Amino acid sequence: MQKLSPVAVGLICAFAISGTVHLVRPAVFEPIVPHVLGPQRELVLLSGVAEIACAVGLIVPATRRVAGPASAALLVAIVPANIQMAVDMLSRLRRKAPTPGRVLRTVVAVVRVPLQWPLIVAAWGAGRG
């Protein structure tokens, strides 16, 4: 059996945790689903199932080569939600007093968007070992 890289282990943990939260507390993610994409609850639940499937797929050696690109595709698919979150946070920061916590959450949301690219590349590579 091929040993998993630390990056793959990190992705597996992130997908498993995030997927579980998507299923247990979907309301947390519903506000960041762009309304043009359709019913938020269903999309959140679907993405949670997909995240867990990607985590399992990366663990199982027989499915790892497919799970890497599938994980990368999933990360591409959630870019609109990350952009929506950043836009919403920036809008909220303009409307409300900028507290340190509000500024930090906004910075994290904005920085998260370009950080998707290295995650996508890492997920693709995780399928190779």
Side-chain angles (χ1 to χ4, degrees):
M1 175 162 44
Q2 192 175 15
K3 186 176 178 185
L4 290 167
S5 72
V7 171
V9 172
L11 285 166
I12 290 164
C13 291
F15 279 138
I17 292 167
S18 180
T20 301
V21 175
H22 276 72
L23 297 176
V24 174
R25 305 254 340 250
V28 170
F29 297 97
E30 289 173 16
I32 67 170
V33 177
H35 293 285
V36 298
L37 295 179
Q40 285 80 17
R41 171 73 45 116
E42 289 82 355
L43 289 170
V44 169
L45 294 173
L46 179 63
S47 64
V49 169
E51 285 180 312
I52 292 170
C54 286
V56 172
L58 288 171
I59 292 170
V60 178
T63 57
R64 196 170 295 148
R65 290 187 84 63
V66 173
S71 298
L74 176 60
L75 290 169
V76 168
I78 64 171
V79 166
N82 288 330
I83 292 170
Q84 185 68 55
M85 181 171 47
V87 167
D88 290 347
M89 296 297 284
L90 286 166
S91 177
R92 190 172 298 126
L93 191 60
R94 285 189 205 107
R95 288 190 326 267
K96 296 185 176 187
T99 64
R102 196 170 286 138
V103 170
L104 178 62
R105 287 189 298 276
T106 302
V107 168
V108 168
V110 170
V111 169
R112 185 176 173 166
V113 174
L115 288 179
Q116 282 296 114
W117 179 248
L119 280 174
I120 292 164
V121 171
W124 189 277
R128 287 183 255 138

